[in-house]
């Protein structure tokens, strides 16, 4: 019998010391870390990191695997059964080992949608999943106690979506401020957390009408239909109501400095901010047309730069990809095309490239942004760090130069808004639960299934 299931040798884990480590893994956990070359035990499998960085598997705090457009269900990877297989392969190829994935949106029972999603994910997900819930109406508000018993610990609320736009997005519904107040109270009472899509519905409705009357010819027009004032106004409201309820709250997919400004001024210590790579790396000047339709929208270049500056200044807490799985055929124009971008498989490489290799962020800080802070916020104590006792969700990094090609990404989505981008870091190997699932540009354990992390238990409260 061997001592370890997996041994990763000569792993770099710190910028503060030159030495490398041998990491011993057994039963899904790190059980040993010693100076490289001093580990003489046997292992079923060995990865020679050869001095490469070994970092915690990324935690994507915002994904929509399984949220599908039924008119494309006959395409490979766009059916309710195979979408999890495709998108989680793409995720682990990009170094994401845990996705905080939203229960499929709709106006009907949250619990029924949750149990359906869990069932599909158990059969097909190659990575760990922690489900976010939501509250879109008063019936779902009444489901919160049962949802908590079932293991849901986070609940999203929407502020902007109305009418035809809500219908086109699968029946998403926004709450009134009065309903949000009740939802914050209920979420806090159960020791859970709120997530808020913060765009003011009145501002968005008016501005969309103005721009749609002109045909929305470009990304600048789409941005004007959902201006930064909508994000700022809604963020202020959400932070105020959450604080009044003493409810931990995250403003999700922050796209502009206005949400940052709102949190800074509110000073509410239980508030967090999530952003997405596309708000720092893409802008209204990106030559991608309707493929760049997302809500909140891509902003002007100077605002994208401001998001990058805010990240460097420590004003963004963690990142989600906001991964959506529409095919290119669903995004042919900015009026009727679906909003949402793919990105789960590129989140970690893009963030490392932009912030560590281009802007000089320390790897330790990048690890906080891509895993540690999310693990702490969402109650995953075994994840987000490399050390004895940690979960063995790990990424061995390769560095150099690689060009993004949509055809190379292991996703059902047939385009990438990052086509042609140059990466300077990407996974050489991905380990999930102690199993090597991806190595040297190939899935090597396609029979592996990740863990559903919503075990029925007392909900985690934000740290």
């Amino acid at each position: 019998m061997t001592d370890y299931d997996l041994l990763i040798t000569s792993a770099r884990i710190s910028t503060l010391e030159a030495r490398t480590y041998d990491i011993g893994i057994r039963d899904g956990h790190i059980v040993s870390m010693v100076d490289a070359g001093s580990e003489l035990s046997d292992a079923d499998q060995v990865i020679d990191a050869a001095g490469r960085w070994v970092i915690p598997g990324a935690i994507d705090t915002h994904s929509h695997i399984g949220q599908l457009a039924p008119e494309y269900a006959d395409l490979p990877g766009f059916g309710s059964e195979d979408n999890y297989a495709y998108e989680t392969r793409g995720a682990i190829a990009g170094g994401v080992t845990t996705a905080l994935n939203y229960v499929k949106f709709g106006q009907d029972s949250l619990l029924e949608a949750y149990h359906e999603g869990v069932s599909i994910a158990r059969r097909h997900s190659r990575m760990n999943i922690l489900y976010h819930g939501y509250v879109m109406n008063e019936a779902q508000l009444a489901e919160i106690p049962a949802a908590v018993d079932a293991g849901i610990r986070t609940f999203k609320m929407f502020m902007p979506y109305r009418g035809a736009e809500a219908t086109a997005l699968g029946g998403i519904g926004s709450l009134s401020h009065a309903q949000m107040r009740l939802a914050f109270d209920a979420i806090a009472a159960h020791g859970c957390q709120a997530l808020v899509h913060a765009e003011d519905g009145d501002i968005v409705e008016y501005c969309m009408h103005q721009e749609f009357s002109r045909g929305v010819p470009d990304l600048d027009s789409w941005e004007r239909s959902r201006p930064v004032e909508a994000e700022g106004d809604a963020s202020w409201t959400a932070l105020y109501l959450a604080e009044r309820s003493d409810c931990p709250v995250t403003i999700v997919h922050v796209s502009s400095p206005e949400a940052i400004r709102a949190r800074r001024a509110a000073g509410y210590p239980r508030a967090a901010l999530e952003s997405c790579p596309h708000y720092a790396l893409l802008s209204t000047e990106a030559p991608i047309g309707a493929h760049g339709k997302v809500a909140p929208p891509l902003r002007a270049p100077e605002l994208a730069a401001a998001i990058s500056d805010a990240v460097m200044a420590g004003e963004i807490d963690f990142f989600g990809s906001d991964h959506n799985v529409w095919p290119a055929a669903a995004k042919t124009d900015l009026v009727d095309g679906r909003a949402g971008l793919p990105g789960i498989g590129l989140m970690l490489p893009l963030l490392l490239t932009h912030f560590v290799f281009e802007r000089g962020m320390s790897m330790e800080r990048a690890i906080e942004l891509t895993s540690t802070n999310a693990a702490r916020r969402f109650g995953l104590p075994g994840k987000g760090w490399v050390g004895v006792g940690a979960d063995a969700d790990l990424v061995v990094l390769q560095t150099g130069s690689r060009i993004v090609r949509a055809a190379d990404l292991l996703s059902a989505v047939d385009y990438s808004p990052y086509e042609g981008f140059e990466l300077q870091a990407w996974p050489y190997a991905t380990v999930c639960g102690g199993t090597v699932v991806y190595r040297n540009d190939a899935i090597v354990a396609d029979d592996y299934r990740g863990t559903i992390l919503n075990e029925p238990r007392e909900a985690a409260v934000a740290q």
Side-chain angles (χ1 to χ4, degrees):
M1 180 177 177
T2 57
D3 294 285
Y4 303 120
D5 303 323
L6 172 65
L7 183 65
I8 302 176
T9 62
S10 300
R12 184 185 184 192
I13 65 168
S14 172
T15 57
L16 303 178
E17 54 187 10
R19 63 178 178 171
T20 58
Y21 291 84
D22 293 345
I23 302 172
I25 295 166
R26 183 170 57 244
D27 297 330
H29 296 87
I30 297 174
V31 296
S32 174
M33 285 183 60
V34 298
D35 286 340
S38 61
E39 179 57 76
L40 303 178
S41 302
D42 293 328
D44 294 335
Q45 192 171 8
V46 177
I47 293 177
D48 181 7
R52 299 181 181 95
W53 275 99
V54 175
I55 68 174
I59 299 174
D60 185 340
T61 59
H62 194 138
S63 66
H64 296 287
I65 300 169
Q67 187 75 38
L68 302 165
E71 62 267 34
Y72 300 104
D74 59 331
L75 297 178
F78 289 97
S80 60
E81 287 290 323
D82 61 355
N83 186 244
Y84 272 88
Y86 274 74
E87 303 315 306
T88 59
R89 288 188 192 109
I92 61 174
V96 174
T97 53
T98 300
L100 277 55
N101 194 59
Y102 284 89
V103 174
K104 186 177 180 181
F105 293 145
Q107 291 290 317
D108 296 329
S109 170
L110 164 63
L111 272 173
E112 290 180 9
Y114 166 63
H115 289 306
E116 178 185 4
V118 167
S119 177
I120 295 172
R122 287 194 194 284
R123 294 194 295 273
H124 298 293
S125 180
R126 274 70 172 168
M127 65 188 295
N128 305 313
I129 300 287
L130 177 68
Y131 279 101
H132 290 312
Y134 49 78
V135 180
M136 300 188 198
N137 55 49
E138 293 191 12
Q140 291 170 358
L141 176 60
E143 285 188 295
I144 286 178
V148 173
D149 288 344
I152 296 177
R153 63 190 70 168
T154 45
F155 296 86
K156 185 175 185 178
M157 290 177 270
F158 292 90
M159 299 179 75
Y161 294 118
R162 301 174 180 178
E165 185 182 27
T167 300
L169 286 167
I172 289 178
S174 296
L175 298 182
S176 69
H177 293 183
Q179 291 170 323
M180 287 183 67
R181 178 170 170 259
L182 296 175
F184 279 128
D185 282 346
I187 292 166
H190 287 85
C192 294
Q193 301 184 50
L195 312 166
V196 178
H197 179 145
E199 290 181 287
D200 180 77
D202 289 339
I203 295 174
V204 168
E205 185 175 51
Y206 177 84
C207 293
M208 284 187 70
H209 176 75
Q210 295 294 107
E211 293 301 320
F212 275 46
S213 68
R214 305 181 185 112
V216 194
D218 53 31
L219 287 173
D220 286 312
S221 176
W222 175 246
E223 195 278 336
R224 289 192 298 270
S225 78
R226 313 179 81 95
V228 295
E229 290 84 357
E231 184 169 80
D233 181 273
S235 296
W236 277 96
T237 298
L239 291 168
Y240 171 73
L241 292 176
E243 183 177 30
R244 292 293 296 172
S245 298
D246 195 24
C247 182
V249 62
T250 297
I251 306 298
V252 301
H253 47 48
V254 168
S255 70
S256 77
E258 295 307 301
I260 298 164
R261 179 182 169 201
R263 182 178 65 164
R264 192 187 303 144
Y268 179 39
R270 306 190 83 188
L273 299 182
E274 167 204 274
S275 193
C276 308
H278 45 269
Y279 295 121
L281 290 156
L282 298 173
S283 75
T284 53
E285 292 188 356
I288 53 178
H291 285 178
K293 183 177 181 180
V294 63
L298 302 179
R299 303 297 184 186
E302 62 270 21
L303 293 181
I307 290 293
S308 290
D309 291 342
V311 173
M312 295 297 295
E315 295 195 276
I316 296 295
D317 298 296
F318 39 80
F319 276 87
S321 67
D322 199 2
H323 181 72
N324 277 267
V325 290
W326 319 129
K331 295 176 69 70
T332 56
D333 66 85
L334 286 160
V335 174
D336 296 318
R338 289 183 178 264
L341 307 180
I344 194 170
L346 289 171
M347 184 183 79
L348 180 65
L350 287 169
L351 293 174
L352 293 177
T353 296
H354 183 60
F355 289 109
V356 176
F357 288 86
E358 296 177 353
R359 301 201 52 161
M361 178 183 285
S362 72
M363 186 64 78
E364 284 83 357
R365 175 61 181 148
I367 289 169
E368 290 177 356
L369 286 168
T370 57
S371 64
T372 309
N373 290 351
R376 290 173 178 166
R377 181 76 180 182
F378 297 107
L380 303 172
K383 305 189 186 302
W385 57 293
V386 178
V388 174
D391 293 348
D393 294 344
L394 301 166
V395 178
V396 183
L397 290 176
Q398 181 67 35
T399 59
S401 177
R402 170 172 286 191
I403 303 301
V404 173
R405 306 291 182 205
D408 298 333
L409 303 174
L410 304 182
S411 167
V413 182
D414 55 349
Y415 80 98
S416 172
Y418 304 103
E419 186 82 19
F421 272 51
E422 181 183 1
L423 304 176
Q424 296 185 55
W426 60 90
Y428 165 74
T430 303
V431 178
C432 191
T435 297
V436 182
V437 289
Y438 176 84
R439 186 174 185 177
N440 200 21
D441 298 330
I443 302 293
V444 294
D446 203 40
D447 58 344
Y448 177 82
R449 297 295 179 268
T451 301
I452 306 301
L453 300 170
N454 300 82
E455 294 297 329
R457 57 186 177 182
E458 182 176 315
V461 178
Q463 300 297 310

